[in-house]
Amino acid sequence: MGVFEDSVSTFLLPIKEYLADESVSEVLVNGPSEIFVEKKGILYKTNAKFLDEQALQAAIRNIAQFVGRRIDEENPILDARLPDGSRVAAVLPPCSRKGTTLSIRKFSQSSPTFVDLVNRGSISKDAARFIDVCVFLAKNIIISGGTGSGKTTLLNVIGSRIPSNQRLLVIEDSSELKIETDHIVFFETRHPDSEGKGAVTIRDLIKSALRLRPDRIIVGEVRGPEALDLISAMNTGHGGSMGTTHANTPYDGLVRLETLSMMGDTQVPVAAIRRQIASAVHLVVQIKRLADGSRKVTHVTEVVPEVDDHGRYQVRDIYRFIQRSRAQDGKIIGELIPTGYIPSFMDEIEINKIPFGRDKFVPPDWFTPGPDGA
């Protein structure tokens, strides 16, 4: 971990081996005597321990000092990014009742591609190709999923497919994305100083980004009133923009955006916000961490650009993951298959002579789709 390792590895000695282990994706400390690690999506309890609560708090204070933050009785919560990109979160007692809680989500050094995701079984070849087509056609995409489901990894992959002749502005709370394209600008929020001044929010950065001639805007994680700014940007000439949000289904992802859009001081009626979201978001890609620890795309869903008579979003699954069985070792066996629904913008695909025909949406013989492919 470079300079960081030289500076504070003494304090993190009990978990040093796990920070160095490439197979470990996250280290979770629940008090000085309870340490778990995540490998391939599965949690394992370790025998590692900190000497006592004071030793654990000393480690966290050193991390905070190194990244220019403060954690103490007045500020018992730390959310920071290490120089290597790893994400650190900590909560001190008495807010954390079992003792100081620490999470270090390690930063992946590799930059996966769609080929890697297909080889891992995270997505089917046809679904990956379809998403690639949607990126080329500048469709606005929301990636929905739970914590640790792989949203950031998927956004890295999809974002890296943006044509290199387009200007991309990436806005994040803590920089995690490693999108690779020729013309890209990264923005990161700034927390307030000890006097509560100098904060720069995602909303501030989106407003600045709109003045900097972006072709597309990516918000790493939409979790506040900036949802309304992103939706507005999607609706005003910044096609092909993207973001991620926490939700369990594509429909819930749209409801989440609606809720976040109303968190600010906006006076926009909810019906108008719903219409904006339905018009702005073309595609929701749902990713999920399954019970066996694997991370899979479970839905690729089109959003119909209008709400129904009851004001509800209309979504149509284009691809959906169907679990067929489960192996003796617990591994989930299933497929991401087409449902039979033809996307409404199929004519755009054909007009642009993109080699992705209607046959790619034909479901397998054993699948019986419901109404509209649901």
Side-chain angles (χ1 to χ4, degrees), residues 68-69 78-81 173-174 188-194 196-201 223:
R69 300 284 176 84
L78 174 68
D79 187 4
R81 177 176 55 87
D173 190 36
S174 294
E188 185 178 31
T189 61
R190 188 174 69 184
H191 291 262
D193 59 20
S194 58
K197 300 178 180 179
V200 179
T201 67
R223 54 183 178 184

Side-chain angles (χ1 to χ4, degrees), residues 151-216:
K151 298 187 299 297
T152 300
T153 297
L154 184 58
L155 185 55
N156 272 328
V157 173
I158 297 176
S160 296
R161 300 300 300 166
I162 292 174
S164 58
N165 63 345
Q166 296 186 4
R167 177 173 166 86
L168 172 63
L169 270 69
V170 177
I171 301 169
E172 298 177 86
D173 190 36
S174 294
S175 291
E176 294 180 330
L177 292 172
K178 292 175 61 180
I179 294 172
E180 297 182 358
T181 187
D182 288 351
H183 196 163
I184 185 168
V185 178
F186 291 95
F187 286 161
E188 185 178 31
T189 61
R190 188 174 69 184
H191 291 262
D193 59 20
S194 58
E195 297 180 356
K197 300 178 180 179
V200 179
T201 67
I202 288 182
R203 297 198 76 175
D204 297 330
L205 293 175
I206 291 178
K207 291 173 183 175
S208 295
L210 292 173
R211 303 186 186 102
L212 294 171
R213 199 239 174 255
D215 289 306
R216 307 189 190 208

Side-chain angles (χ1 to χ4, degrees), residues 251 254-255 258 274 278 303-304 306-315:
Y251 188 92
L254 299 175
V255 174
E258 175 187 317
R274 286 176 184 168
V303 182
V304 177
E306 57 185 18
V307 295
D308 65 15
D309 294 339
H310 302 285
R312 295 174 299 197
Y313 300 106
Q314 300 182 73
V315 295

Side-chain angles (χ1 to χ4, degrees), residues 9 20 28 38 76 78 82 101 113 117 137 167 180 187 200 224 241 257 259 286 291 294 302 326 355 362:
S9 62
L28 302 168
E38 183 191 76
L78 174 68
L82 299 180
T101 301
T113 64
L117 297 187
L137 294 175
R167 177 173 166 86
E180 297 182 358
F187 286 161
V200 179
S241 293
L257 289 178
T259 303
Q286 184 74 36
S294 63
E302 181 182 1
R326 191 160 186 175
V362 177

Side-chain angles (χ1 to χ4, degrees), residues 185-302:
V185 178
F186 291 95
F187 286 161
E188 185 178 31
T189 61
R190 188 174 69 184
H191 291 262
D193 59 20
S194 58
E195 297 180 356
K197 300 178 180 179
V200 179
T201 67
I202 288 182
R203 297 198 76 175
D204 297 330
L205 293 175
I206 291 178
K207 291 173 183 175
S208 295
L210 292 173
R211 303 186 186 102
L212 294 171
R213 199 239 174 255
D215 289 306
R216 307 189 190 208
I217 294 173
I218 289 181
V219 177
E221 183 178 335
V222 184
R223 54 183 178 184
E226 68 273 3
L228 184 59
D229 300 292
L230 177 61
I231 293 302
S232 298
M234 288 178 168
N235 270 324
T236 54
H238 301 284
S241 293
M242 306 176 197
T244 74
T245 192
H246 282 80
N248 294 323
T249 68
Y251 188 92
D252 289 345
L254 299 175
V255 174
R256 168 83 169 158
L257 289 178
E258 175 187 317
T259 303
L260 295 174
S261 296
M262 298 179 66
M263 285 176 60
D265 54 0
T266 178
Q267 302 298 316
V268 181
V270 62
I273 289 178
R274 286 176 184 168
R275 286 195 295 270
Q276 283 193 51
I277 292 173
S279 175
V281 179
H282 301 121
L283 204 70
V284 179
V285 180
Q286 184 74 36
I287 189 167
K288 186 176 182 181
R289 182 171 60 184
L290 303 183
D292 63 354
S294 63
R295 293 168 171 86
K296 296 185 184 296
V297 171
T298 59
H299 298 76
V300 179
T301 303
E302 181 182 1

